[in-house]
Amino acid sequence: MIRSIRLGRAPNCSSLGNVVNVLAWSQVAVGALWVAAESWRSRRSRPEPGGGETRAVDEPPALVRRGEKNGGPHEAHVQLTRACPLPCPSCHVSPEAKGESVPLPVVEARFRELSSQGVFHVAVGGGEALAYPELARVVEAAHAAGLSIGLTTSGRGRVDTARGFDQINVSLDGLGEVYERARGYDGAQEALHAIQRLAAQGARVGANIVLSRDTFPSLRDTVNAAVQSGARDIHLLRLKPAGRGTEPYLSRRLAPEQALQLWPLLSSLVEEFAGVSFRVDCAMTPWLAAHGVDPERMRAFGWTGCHGGDALVAVDVNGRRTPCSFVDVEPSSDWISPRLPEPCASCDYLDICRGGCHAVAQHLRGELLVPDPECPLVIAHG
Ligand code: SF4
Ligand code: SF4
């Protein structure tokens, strides 16, 4: 019996994404998908603990799981380079204009190893991944290893060379001055042109929008501009206190009242932009849980909260593995099954959410494995 269907491909090189649209589907539509999924053709499959199995499907892009347990990362975020000349103040990487890049043979070997360990998809990023000199060979290497591959980019650089990726997302945190304040340079038009060019060359292209107190008020306008330019996926990301983004985090993060507005706003965007796939990242799960969004529907669609080290692994330029791109620790079982106090301990979303964003908890509380201090349920618990 199919337990969960995780739709789409990872549109981002830093955090996991979850499709929001499915939360509004009728039970009839969900049932029809489950029936259809029985005949979807697999690209690859892997056994899971307890006799289960996960299948990677290309048409439509999806991970189909039978059984309850997950036996390791299905998605890897692979850093190709630390080189990027842009000044984005919230970048989680702290790149340098002449930062180092991973030699192609090393990239190829990392892809082969990840594939042999059961990973189905790699999302590559930087720095600015478009600055990587052999991008076409990176795509070839992923496909040769049986992996699908996504790319995250600012849109500055050789967009025409980004061919063959299964998914490309361009960062677009706002328009005009909002973009400039968020990213430290006036680049919204350049990003929109990149989306247009990528869509014109046939890529599945989306926009990554980092939510901050500055970018949130104009989110609808940003989504509209991205969609008009050809984006079919909108991926919303929570700001994280990492890299260059650590110091300005407190002044830039979403205000608590904005976080509570996210779910109603998302619901209206899904309705308004029919045919566009909306995703929120793993770190936003508490903000949906606070509205009582159906946890069974989330489970059915393989929703991942803080599943770093379990569903996800990050690999930096030096080959070091961490649970996700925002933390500087080794993957461990403590992370995968944290023992959390109330209100997480008895929360209906614990298995999905896993205590909210550990990167935020570490920054604000000095401990990784404690309840996310920005979860509205944690705030209400006191
Ligand atoms: S710490 Fe957890 S919730 Fe935060 S970005 Fe990493 S995997 Fe996602
Ligand atoms: S109480 Fe804990 S488990 Fe529940 S939504 Fe908040 S952070 Fe997640």
Side-chain angles (χ1 to χ4, degrees):
M1 190 177 89
I2 295 174
R3 288 289 183 154
S4 70
I5 301 176
R6 189 170 164 79
L7 292 172
R9 287 209 177 92
N12 186 260
C13 67
S14 61
S15 53
L16 291 157
N18 301 291
V19 177
V20 172
N21 307 58
V22 296
L23 299 175
W25 284 10
S26 69
Q27 203 53 44
V28 172
V30 174
L33 187 81
W34 252 245
V35 171
E38 291 290 355
S39 57
W40 289 347
R41 198 159 155 259
S42 301
R43 173 166 48 87
R44 281 175 58 210
S45 66
R46 73 179 197 198
E48 302 290 2
E53 178 199 49
T54 302
R55 298 193 289 129
V57 173
D58 285 330
E59 283 300 328
L63 288 182
V64 180
R65 171 161 300 161
R66 294 175 198 273
E68 301 266 349
K69 294 189 178 158
N70 181 51
H74 51 70
E75 177 176 325
H77 295 169
V78 178
Q79 192 180 26
L80 290 181
T81 178
R82 284 190 61 249
C84 181
L86 297 174
C88 308
S90 297
C91 178
H92 67 281
V93 170
S94 301
E96 296 167 9
K98 296 195 180 270
E100 69 272 34
S101 294
V102 186
L104 182 63
V106 178
V107 174
E108 291 168 337
R110 285 181 188 163
F111 285 176
R112 284 194 298 271
E113 185 180 22
L114 288 164
S115 178
S116 72
Q117 292 166 343
V119 167
F120 294 115
H121 180 85
V122 286
V124 296
E128 173 49 70
L130 280 185
Y132 193 80
E134 297 162 290
L135 220 41
R137 301 278 301 278
V138 170
V139 174
E140 285 170 17
H143 289 162
L147 300 160
S148 53
I149 181 166
L151 171 78
T152 302
T153 174
S154 67
R156 174 167 293 187
R158 307 162 308 145
V159 169
D160 295 345
T161 66
R163 292 182 185 272
F165 283 92
D166 298 293
Q167 174 79 39
I168 302 178
N169 269 31
V170 177
S171 297
L172 182 75
D173 294 343
L175 305 173
E177 289 179 3
V178 174
Y179 184 107
E180 192 168 350
R181 282 197 299 275
R183 297 181 64 85
Y185 69 104
D186 180 8
Q189 284 309 315
E190 190 175 28
L192 289 168
H193 285 148
I195 292 172
Q196 286 167 3
R197 284 160 58 197
L198 288 162
Q201 67 190 42
R204 171 98 195 188
V205 60
N208 286 343
I209 304 174
V210 178
L211 297 181
S212 67
R213 67 188 59 192
D214 218 24
T215 64
F216 187 79
S218 53
L219 176 60
R220 194 205 157 276
D221 293 341
T222 310
V223 168
N224 188 48
V227 171
Q228 295 308 320
S229 297
R232 294 164 66 194
D233 302 278
I234 300 294
H235 187 56
L236 305 181
L237 297 130
R238 182 172 166 186
L239 190 68
K240 316 287 187 321
R244 214 188 260 160
T246 306
E247 189 273 323
Y249 179 73
L250 288 180
S251 60
R252 287 179 174 260
R253 64 180 174 172
L254 275 192
E257 60 274 17
Q258 290 174 318
L260 280 173
Q261 289 164 20
L262 177 69
W263 174 241
L265 177 58
L266 255 176
S267 302
S268 69
L269 291 174
V270 166
E271 207 169 304
E272 181 177 351
F273 294 94
V276 175
S277 171
F278 284 83
R279 286 175 174 254
V280 294
D281 81 356
C282 42
M284 291 195 197
T285 306
W287 296 339
L288 271 60
H291 286 274
V293 173
D294 182 0
E296 284 310 319
R297 182 63 63 87
M298 292 168 119
R299 287 183 189 103
F301 283 92
W303 195 282
T304 49
C306 195
H307 290 221
D310 184 7
L312 167 68
V313 66
V315 186
D316 73 9
V317 281
N318 300 312
R320 179 155 184 262
R321 293 190 179 200
T322 52
C324 77
S325 306
F326 301 102
V327 293
D328 191 21
V329 299
E330 307 282 326
S332 76
S333 55
D334 285 352
W335 174 288
I336 292 167
S337 307
R339 289 194 192 146
L340 294 162
E342 297 294 352
C344 298
S346 57
C347 177
D348 289 344
Y349 298 85
L350 178 60
D351 61 312
I352 305 165
C353 174
R354 295 191 180 165
C357 183
H358 297 346
V360 170
Q362 184 178 42
H363 182 64
L364 296 180
R365 292 284 179 266
E367 285 182 82
L368 268 173
L369 304 181
V370 296
D372 184 338
E374 294 179 5
C375 167
L377 302 176
V378 173
I379 293 170
H381 184 262

